[in-house]
Amino acid sequence: MLESHHHGPDDGREQTDLAAARIRSVGVVGAGTMGRGVSQMFAEAGIDVVCVDVSEQALRAARAEIDRNLRLAPLTRGFRPDHAAVAARIEFTSDYQALSQVGYVVENVTENWTVKAQVYPLLDAICGEECVLGVNTSAIPITRVAGLTGRADRVVGTHIMNPAPMMPTVEVIRGHLTSAESVTLTSSLFARTGRRSVVVNDMPGFVTNRVMMLTVNEAAFLIQDGVATPSDVDRLFRECFNHKMGPLATADLIGLDTVLFSLEVLYEDFKDPKYRPCPYLRRLVDAGLHGRKTGAGFFDYETI
Ligand code: NAD
């Protein structure tokens, strides 16, 4: 590619950094497990947040959970955020129109194509021309989501890990039509929250979940086959492999419904039977045992 004589090779990067520095407010769509943490993460970085969900109950629960997390931060994270200032930066609303002025959006609605397909045309119509849409999905290809909009160059994968306020790195996914500027803007924006980005190309499940969902699914088959108890499966990973968490506790943290949705996406997309969801996992989901968020999954959790 020819380079212009008038600009240094870094001019584009600097301009994008400046554009990221100018973003004053971010839209967070979906106030579930991820949307709550993502809202808190941006607010802690001094960025205003408009958090949108269709469920008033989810919005109320999000506010309460963020409050609780901020209160417990000295214990759980060893630092004391300015609780009142952080909380005051987040506006909770069920009105999508509130997104018309934000500079960037991170979408975290349910991992289900029908739901995502309803949301993107709305975002495309309401958000400003320049606004980049970050897709927080566990497995759905970014290029497919971008096709729901008229701004495929400004749609990028932002796979943020759970719990968002504590995780230092984001998997950023470059869709087939995502522009270099959108990728740079995204990593610069995350840098403002103290996060690093690892940029990867678009394929179902990206890097993390193509591997992680297979592991979790196989661990569920171990339970179905009666090979070991959930606590022994996880102990082996923690104590023999030095993993911080075993695969089943990780699945409970992610949400078993989200795990199942992700496996279905991988199975449908690759048409490879190795991704077929474990029937026992499906049974837990059918029983409403979705992991931590419902109080029980592979393990029981005290309701809080
Ligand atoms: P969740 O089920 O906890 O929350 C989803 C939220 O979306 C709910 O509050 C629901 O009311 C809301 N919603 C549904 N339809 C909506 C609409 N039309 N407009 C606005 N809000 C709507 O799910 P989650 O675990 O937070 O996952 C959200 C996304 O993040 C999924 O795509 C998931 O794959 C991805 N993700 C999840 C994790 C994880 O560990 N849970 C990690 C990374 C990425």
Side-chain angles (χ1 to χ4, degrees):
M1 204 194 289
L2 287 174
E3 247 174 42
S4 153
H5 293 293
H6 304 292
H7 302 284
D10 281 329
D11 281 5
R13 164 104 220 182
E14 274 169 30
Q15 277 175 14
T16 322
D17 280 350
L18 273 176
R22 276 200 297 265
I23 292 175
R24 307 240 326 247
S25 65
V26 166
V28 174
V29 182
T33 307
M34 290 314 297
R36 295 164 195 191
V38 172
S39 297
Q40 187 183 331
M41 173 186 94
F42 282 119
E44 283 182 1
I47 300 169
D48 288 338
V49 174
V50 178
C51 179
V52 179
D53 199 295
V54 285
S55 154
E56 292 290 344
Q57 195 266 333
L59 290 167
R60 272 196 304 277
R63 189 196 298 269
E65 190 177 323
I66 291 170
D67 265 341
R68 185 171 175 279
N69 284 343
L70 289 170
R71 203 170 58 243
L72 294 179
L75 280 172
T76 53
R77 292 155 70 201
F79 90 109
R80 192 177 296 279
D82 185 343
H83 187 147
V86 173
R89 277 186 206 113
I90 311 174
E91 177 193 344
F92 296 92
T93 178
S94 55
D95 180 10
Y96 267 80
Q97 291 300 333
L99 296 169
S100 64
Q101 300 299 320
V102 301
Y104 196 101
V105 166
V106 177
E107 170 275 313
N108 319 258
V109 302
T110 318
E111 183 77 346
N112 177 301
W113 179 250
T114 318
V115 179
K116 302 253 189 218
Q118 281 168 357
V119 167
Y120 278 86
L122 274 177
L123 295 178
D124 200 26
I126 291 166
C127 298
E129 175 100 0
E130 308 264 282
C131 183
V132 170
L133 307 179
V135 190
N136 190 12
T137 163
S138 299
I140 301 175
I142 303 310
T143 311
R144 188 172 307 154
V145 176
L148 297 165
T149 73
R151 60 175 86 199
D153 57 323
R154 280 153 288 152
V155 177
V156 61
T158 49
H159 185 207
I160 302 163
M161 310 299 150
N162 181 19
M166 295 173 79
M167 301 309 244
T169 302
V170 178
E171 186 179 30
V172 172
I173 303 112
R174 192 192 288 120
H176 198 78
L177 299 170
T178 308
S179 68
E181 289 75 23
S182 298
V183 172
T184 312
L185 179 84
T186 300
S187 46
S188 302
L189 178 65
F190 282 116
R192 283 177 62 192
T193 75
R195 273 152 189 81
R196 294 182 294 269
S197 296
V198 175
V199 182
V200 306
N201 289 324
D202 195 21
M203 273 274 170
F206 328 118
V207 170
T208 49
N209 279 340
R210 187 155 157 196
V211 175
M212 193 60 211
M213 292 301 161
L214 268 185
T215 307
V216 164
N217 199 41
E218 205 56 34
F221 274 113
L222 287 171
I223 307 306
Q224 179 174 292
D225 294 346
V227 177
T229 61
S231 53
D232 281 349
V233 168
D234 275 15
R235 266 187 72 199
L236 287 161
F237 279 84
R238 288 197 317 273
E239 296 175 21
C240 301
F241 290 162
N242 230 353
H243 289 187
K244 271 193 191 150
M245 281 174 95
L248 297 172
T250 305
D252 277 353
L253 180 67
I254 295 170
L256 300 189
D257 51 343
T258 301
V259 170
L260 180 60
F261 278 139
S262 305
L263 282 163
E264 281 168 345
V265 170
L266 290 166
Y267 182 65
E268 281 304 315
D269 270 75
F270 287 111
K271 300 278 189 282
D272 186 330
K274 74 182 173 189
Y275 295 108
R276 80 244 173 270
C278 170
Y280 179 67
L281 171 71
R282 195 181 289 279
R283 193 164 94 198
L284 292 181
V285 173
D286 287 343
L289 305 175
H290 294 183
R292 251 173 214 271
K293 62 185 169 188
T294 61
F298 288 105
F299 300 99
D300 283 330
Y301 302 88
E302 274 179 70
T303 32
I304 36 170

